[in-house]
Amino acid sequence: MNGFLVVLQKELLEGTREWRALATTLLVAPLVGPFLFVGITAFTMHQAIDDVAAAIEIPAVGAERAPNLVAHLRQSLIDVDAEAFADQGDQTARHEALREAVRSGEVEVGIVVAEDFAEALAAGQAARVWVVADSSSNRARPETNRVRTALGAWSATVGGIRLQLRGIHPTVGAPLAVLRDDVSTPSRRAYLLLGIVGYFVLFAVLIGGSQIAVDITAGERERGSLEPLLAMPIRRETLVLAKVLATLVVMTASLAITVISFAVAVQFLPLGELGMTANFGVVEAAQMFLLVFPFAALAAALMVAAASLTRSFREAQTYTSIAMIAPTLPVVFAALRPMQDSVPLMLVPALSQHLLLSDVLRAEALDPLHIVTSVASTAAVAAMLVWLTVRRFRSEKLIL
């Protein structure tokens, strides 16, 4: 035990002597990542809210022919500029001027009311209105959708009035009434935005310990301190466990910083304005930390194992970079094809932690069997990696 503590203290001191690199590792992904994610998400949410709630102004050619339609658009917070392009000449010239303004980006969207609009409406025919927009412009899409929705609502209203004037109930033309019964909870809806949190947490753990894992393996080989360490009367199992534990200490710190950062940053998201609630308080943060901790142990063993296979510091950085990607691939696959929690999936490290974190964020009850299976399978893989690393340290090829 004394030998284990001596080696552990040595590895922690050596692994943290490059405090600038360590500080960067512990701050960039665990601290900056969550706030950057939340900042971008919050900006996008505010932009979406503004796109729906804010009043917009659009040019309308021939708006004087459709006063009721213009009034409806204004009730939908769409102001109509009836004088736009009035100096361009006749209807055709004004229509072409509007098309050119939209094409150049000067105008996002506009409408053109047909010259026979009033006559067609009075005759019970389809009155024509053109929505002039650029379908390739992402910036114009929100305004275009709002205009199309408002025109569709007005069309449905007029159609219902036409049927009533003919003694026909409006529901005759709508034989199917599709009603919405949303069984989601505010926490589940918030998960649509926060689902990537699990990936961030797992990846931050991997990044957090990569630097120290490389330094206490390949770094020791380059500094020439590995051979004296191997000559000490310490069992190889003890040596490897001390290195893994030193890496785990740093990864645990990275995990704690990441979870706390997300718990704080998520509070700044305007989820309430969209009918969502972030299930991310102190209790949930503690649950996330405990659920991911077994993965941190596996990640520490993985980083040490990968770095021990190399002969130089630079080569170790390459190996550990590849080792960071491998555990997260199942999580990426799960994001592309959503999965339901099951015992077989809990046998896959990283994926099981991601699914359990998803349950926490959705405020769903955790299945004890799933937790036990996840911890056991993750611990088994970590133990196997430690065993492989011990075999590597027993081989003479380690110092050749």
Side-chain angles (χ1 to χ4, degrees):
M1 178 60 72
N2 290 336
F4 173 80
L5 295 176
V6 170
V7 175
L8 176 61
Q9 182 180 15
K10 166 192 170 299
E11 304 299 4
L12 286 174
L13 289 175
E14 288 193 354
T16 57
R17 72 183 188 282
E18 294 292 339
W19 63 270
R20 292 184 179 86
L22 182 62
T24 302
T25 303
L26 289 177
L27 293 180
V28 172
L31 190 58
V32 177
F35 280 95
L36 182 62
F37 161 74
V38 171
I40 295 175
T41 304
F43 174 79
T44 304
M45 292 174 64
H46 281 298
Q47 191 68 36
I49 294 171
D50 292 341
D51 289 340
V52 174
I56 62 174
E57 182 177 2
I58 63 171
V61 175
E64 65 279 359
R65 305 186 189 99
N68 291 335
L69 175 59
V70 170
H72 173 79
L73 291 175
R74 285 174 176 163
Q75 288 179 351
S76 302
L77 298 180
I78 302 175
D79 294 329
V80 174
D81 182 5
E83 301 300 324
F85 308 104
D87 57 347
Q88 297 297 322
D90 60 7
Q91 174 90 354
T92 302
R94 295 175 65 189
H95 190 164
E96 185 58 34
L98 174 58
R99 295 180 75 250
E100 183 59 34
V102 172
R103 186 182 297 112
S104 65
E106 179 183 348
V107 174
E108 302 294 349
V109 60
I111 62 174
V112 177
V113 180
E115 292 180 299
D116 62 346
F117 180 89
E119 292 78 4
L121 197 64
Q125 300 173 352
R128 295 173 298 166
V129 176
W130 286 272
V131 177
V132 184
D134 183 356
S135 61
S136 65
S137 173
N138 290 326
R139 186 179 62 180
R141 187 170 292 116
E143 292 189 7
T144 303
N145 291 338
R146 284 185 62 181
V147 172
R148 290 184 181 277
T149 300
L151 292 176
W154 188 80
S155 176
T157 301
V158 174
I161 294 174
R162 284 179 174 180
L163 290 175
Q164 287 180 326
L165 291 176
R166 289 164 174 78
I168 302 174
H169 197 277
T171 57
V172 172
L176 182 64
V178 181
L179 306 178
R180 183 177 181 181
D181 186 7
D182 189 355
V183 299
S184 66
T185 62
S187 297
R188 285 189 176 185
R189 289 193 292 272
Y191 180 74
L192 296 174
L193 296 174
L194 303 179
I196 198 175
V197 167
Y199 182 85
F200 261 103
V201 172
L202 296 175
F203 200 71
V205 170
L206 290 166
I207 293 178
S210 60
Q211 184 265 339
I212 186 173
V214 171
D215 189 73
I216 62 179
T217 50
E220 281 192 341
R221 180 194 290 261
E222 287 193 348
R223 292 191 299 270
S225 60
L226 182 59
E227 290 186 31
L229 183 61
L230 294 174
M232 295 177 61
I234 301 176
R235 294 170 58 88
R236 294 295 186 264
E237 295 88 340
T238 302
L239 186 62
V240 171
L241 287 174
K243 290 180 179 294
V244 171
L245 184 56
T247 306
L248 177 58
V249 169
V250 179
M251 284 187 169
T252 302
S254 178
L255 171 60
I257 295 173
T258 304
V259 172
I260 293 173
S261 298
F262 266 116
V264 174
V266 164
Q267 308 308 316
F268 295 95
L269 288 176
L271 296 174
E273 299 181 34
L274 299 178
M276 301 178 182
T277 301
N279 187 52
F280 210 148
V282 176
V283 175
E284 290 73 26
Q287 288 178 330
M288 293 181 69
F289 177 86
L290 294 175
L291 290 172
V292 178
F293 182 78
F295 176 77
L298 183 151
L302 177 63
M303 292 294 107
V304 173
S308 66
L309 297 174
T310 62
R311 298 180 178 276
S312 65
F313 197 93
R314 183 173 297 179
E315 186 182 6
Q317 288 179 320
T318 303
Y319 274 52
T320 53
S321 297
I322 297 174
M324 283 186 217
I325 298 174
T328 59
L329 290 179
V331 179
V332 175
F333 183 76
L336 298 176
R337 185 176 180 179
M339 303 176 180
Q340 187 67 30
D341 294 9
S342 64
V343 173
L345 292 180
M346 292 298 128
L347 296 173
V348 183
L351 177 60
S352 64
Q353 279 80 26
H354 171 73
L355 294 175
L356 291 173
L357 293 184
S358 300
D359 291 340
V360 173
L361 291 173
R362 289 196 296 256
E364 296 181 357
L366 295 173
D367 189 331
L369 178 59
H370 289 174
I371 296 176
V372 172
T373 305
S374 173
V375 172
S377 62
T378 304
V381 176
M384 183 185 68
L385 290 170
V386 171
W387 177 74
L388 291 174
T389 308
V390 170
R391 290 194 60 183
R392 172 66 176 170
F393 270 73
R394 285 175 177 170
S395 172
E396 295 180 356
K397 295 181 180 180
L398 182 66
I399 57 176
L400 295 180

